[in-house]
């Protein structure tokens, strides 16, 4: 059995299938870790959701910001932008089943020496604390208050964590960090509007994984979200968003031995 972690698919289902063929993925024995952003901007969001849901226990999937955006749109709390490609999901006959499956996915998964999430962790969060915080969000999202949570998710504030935060502000900070974080200050203030490469970090900030003394260094973080960073590895980090939806490549890493597999967004 092998565990393969794959980056942001974003509706590029055909590319995903070519990547799985490349690695000879066998759902009877292998497992697929998907680091979020299953949907949007690519042309095949519906096929992607149906396929991953159909993998059952062979797929370990966490939520990304685009996945939450789909849930917010479906709940009537967001309007589609011109570059969104979610109409096929929203009009599908199995829409409700797919959205319920999506809402049931976690923000974070920890197994052995690896922690899987979409974007990042604030420097003051240990893996144990982050796991508990992610569970707080999941408990609400799966409850009758899930629709209220979707209503209150939008926004960049508060910009930093405090153990004293309560209610929607508390949950919004957790979600923003785990699904949107790229840059922050040493004390954990998030710069959520910044989307460029690490060398263009806003003044006073740095990539979240570079903060000295980050408490989550006990595990290797497996994440995506940051296409301007691209596929990137360093001790304690595997970043997998290699910009497939922008015409680059889709990347998978076999966690057992670190082997890297990539296929182009368009066949050569």
């Amino acid at each position: 059995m092998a565990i393969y972690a794959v980056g942001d698919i974003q509706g590029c289902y055909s590319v995903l299938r070519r990547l799985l063929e490349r690695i000879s993925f066998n759902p009877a024995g292998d497992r697929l870790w998907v680091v979020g952003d299953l949907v949007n901007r690519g042309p095949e969001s519906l096929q992607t959701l149906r396929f991953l849901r159909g993998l059952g226990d062979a797929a370990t999937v966490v939520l990304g910001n685009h996945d939450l955006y789909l849930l917010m749109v479906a709940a009537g709390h967001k309007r589609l932008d011109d570059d969104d490609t979610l109409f096929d999901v929203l009009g599908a006959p199995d829409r409700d089943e797919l959205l319920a499956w999506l809402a049931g996915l976690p923000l974070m998964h920890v197994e052995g020496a690896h922690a899987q999430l979409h974007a990042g962790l604030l420097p003051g969060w240990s893996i144990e604390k982050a796991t508990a915080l992610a569970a707080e969000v999941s408990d609400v999202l799966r409850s009758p208050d899930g629709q209220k949570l979707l209503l209150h998710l939008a926004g960049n504030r508060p910009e930093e964590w405090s153990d004293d935060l309560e209610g929607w502000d508390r949950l919004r900070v957790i979600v923003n960090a785990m699904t949107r974080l790229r840059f922050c200050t040493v004390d954990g203030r998030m710069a959520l509007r910044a989307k460029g490469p690490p060398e263009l970090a806003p003044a006073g900030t740095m990539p979240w994984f570079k903060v000295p003394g980050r408490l989550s260094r006990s595990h290797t973080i497996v994440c995506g979200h940051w296409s301007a960073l691209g596929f990137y590895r360093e001790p304690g980090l595997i970043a997998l968003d290699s910009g497939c939806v922008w015409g680059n490549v889709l990347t998978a890493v076999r966690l057992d031995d670190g082997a890297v597999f990539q296929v182009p967004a368009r066949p050569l």
Side-chain angles (χ1 to χ4, degrees):
M1 182 192 83
I3 299 177
Y4 297 91
V6 64
D8 305 43
I9 301 166
Q10 291 201 239
C12 297
Y13 171 70
S14 299
V15 187
L16 172 65
R17 291 308 301 262
R18 285 194 283 112
L19 179 59
L20 296 182
E21 291 173 7
R22 168 82 183 279
I23 64 180
S24 300
F25 178 76
N26 180 4
D30 298 329
R31 289 173 58 203
L32 187 67
W33 283 21
V34 185
V35 298
D37 275 6
L38 319 182
V39 300
N40 208 14
R41 306 289 168 79
E44 303 159 316
S45 291
L46 179 58
Q47 295 96 315
T48 302
L49 289 178
R50 286 173 172 167
F51 174 72
L52 293 175
R53 180 175 180 243
L55 286 178
D57 292 340
T60 300
V61 186
V62 294
L63 287 167
N65 54 300
H66 279 281
D67 310 316
L68 288 166
Y69 175 75
L70 169 57
L71 292 173
M72 294 163 73
V73 169
H77 304 321
K78 278 281 191 179
R79 292 184 179 180
L80 289 175
D81 292 329
D82 291 341
D83 56 354
D84 291 326
T85 57
L86 297 171
F87 296 101
D88 56 347
V89 178
L90 296 171
D94 53 348
R95 158 194 163 129
D96 291 345
E97 292 87 348
L98 292 170
L99 294 176
W101 173 77
L102 199 63
L105 296 177
L107 285 177
M108 184 172 175
H109 172 76
V110 179
E111 186 173 329
H114 293 90
Q116 172 195 9
L117 63 149
H118 182 59
L121 294 176
L122 293 176
W125 292 351
S126 66
I127 293 296
E128 293 75 18
K129 180 171 185 133
T131 301
L133 294 176
E136 286 187 32
V137 174
S138 293
D139 287 347
V140 176
L141 190 57
R142 298 166 184 169
S143 77
D145 285 332
Q147 294 297 306
K148 293 180 181 178
L149 173 61
L150 295 172
L151 175 62
H152 290 90
L153 273 187
N156 296 335
R157 296 184 180 276
E159 296 177 339
E160 58 188 327
W161 173 255
S162 168
D163 287 335
D164 295 330
L165 284 173
E166 297 179 345
W168 306 124
D169 282 351
R170 179 182 179 89
L171 299 177
R172 190 182 309 111
V173 171
I174 298 168
V175 169
N176 280 345
M178 293 189 183
T179 69
R180 297 178 58 203
L181 180 63
R182 297 181 182 94
F183 300 102
C184 66
T185 63
V186 171
D187 58 359
R189 183 179 293 272
M190 296 182 284
L192 292 171
R193 296 185 183 278
K195 299 182 179 181
E199 59 268 24
L200 297 182
T205 74
M206 63 186 69
W208 67 268
F209 52 85
K210 293 290 190 183
V211 174
R214 173 171 59 85
L215 295 184
S216 54
R217 292 184 183 275
S218 59
H219 289 62
T220 295
I221 308 296
V222 183
C223 61
H225 182 59
W226 199 345
S227 60
L229 173 66
F231 172 59
Y232 177 82
R233 285 195 294 189
E234 65 175 42
L237 181 77
I238 303 172
L240 290 165
D241 185 358
S242 46
C244 176
V245 78
W246 306 118
N248 296 320
V249 298
L250 186 64
T251 300
V253 171
R254 189 164 57 211
L255 297 184
D256 312 67
D257 60 4
V260 179
F261 306 87
Q262 294 182 319
V263 296
R266 298 176 181 86
L268 298 178

